[in-house]
Amino acid sequence: MASVLAEPMKRLHRDGKITKEDVAERVKTGKITKADYEHITGEKYD
């Protein structure tokens, strides 16, 4: 199940308002999961 932030972040990423690096930073701080990163960006988190 995606975190609460995943869908809003997916829209922001799609609209170009946040970068993959911004999303990765949220994984590092524990606000979203690696699975959320993949859901948002369409790429596997390394």
Side-chain angles (χ1 to χ4, degrees), residues 8-45:
M9 288 186 73
K10 184 171 183 162
R11 285 190 297 275
L12 289 169
H13 181 262
R14 179 194 64 215
D15 295 344
K17 296 184 184 213
I18 61 172
T19 65
K20 287 189 291 186
E21 291 77 17
D22 296 326
V23 179
E25 186 62 33
R26 300 314 190 285
V27 175
K28 291 177 190 172
T29 60
K31 295 190 191 258
I32 64 171
T33 65
K34 292 177 181 180
D36 290 334
Y37 177 91
E38 188 170 341
H39 174 72
I40 293 164
T41 65
E43 298 178 10
K44 188 164 179 81
Y45 181 83

